[in-house]
Amino acid sequence: MTATKEAEPPVVAVPPPAEKVEAPPKDVKVEKPEEKVVEAKAAPVTEKDVPEKKNSKGSLDRDVALAHVESEKRLSFIKAWEDSEKSKVENKAQKKLSEVDAWENSKKASLEAKLKKLEEELEKKKAEYAERMKNKVAQVHKEAEEKRAMVVANRQEDVLKAEETAAKYRATNQTPKKTLGCIG
């Protein structure tokens, strides 16, 4: 009888599952425990070696061990499903972040292109305005030269007139009717 006690697995108190076990997710492969492996763990029990009480206790131990294995299997499926869902959520969030980054970059590029276009237009307008101002300055300078030329021409005409009139007065020995504005 001592040999039989050593061969029995230790008693583990695991409550049997109270509810029906849900089916695992479709992408997780379900492995069913093989009966041969469980039977290999338990020592073969014959009626001669073990009385009736021991036989039911071995069956109970095996049921408890199977319940424990089933519980661990269910928990591992749940953990795998949880990891899968977390991975999906992370991937979805990463995709959304990438879309936001792409949107931001496209909007920035569009605005920078508009800004560059406006700057080019302003530079063009500035150059055109500067050209117009230079043309106006040149026109003013031209008009000023014309006015100077007129003044010089008028001066020369007036000087010639004065010289002719003075020569006439000298020739006739007459005095001019008007003299200098302050003397007369």
Side-chain angles (χ1 to χ4, degrees), residues 114-161:
K114 282 183 181 179
L115 178 63
K116 187 175 181 180
K117 185 177 178 181
L118 285 174
E119 286 175 349
E120 289 173 358
E121 288 177 6
L122 287 175
E123 285 294 323
K124 185 178 177 182
K125 286 182 180 180
K126 181 181 173 184
E128 289 174 0
Y129 189 74
E131 186 66 29
R132 277 191 258 144
M133 290 299 110
K134 286 180 183 178
N135 290 341
K136 284 185 179 181
V137 168
Q139 183 66 29
V140 168
H141 182 68
K142 180 181 174 185
E143 289 176 10
E145 286 296 321
E146 289 174 358
K147 287 182 179 184
R148 281 189 197 104
M150 291 292 288
V151 169
V152 169
N154 285 341
R155 184 183 69 184
Q156 287 176 352
E157 282 181 20
D158 289 344
V159 168
L160 280 174
K161 256 190 201 178

Side-chain angles (χ1 to χ4, degrees), residues 17-49:
E19 296 180 13
K20 183 177 179 182
V21 177
E22 292 183 25
K26 293 180 180 179
D27 59 342
V28 178
K29 185 177 179 182
V30 178
E31 294 181 16
K32 294 185 177 181
E34 297 180 12
E35 293 291 327
K36 294 177 184 177
V37 175
V38 175
E39 289 176 6
K41 289 182 181 178
V45 179
T46 60
E47 289 184 20
K48 294 178 185 175
D49 294 337

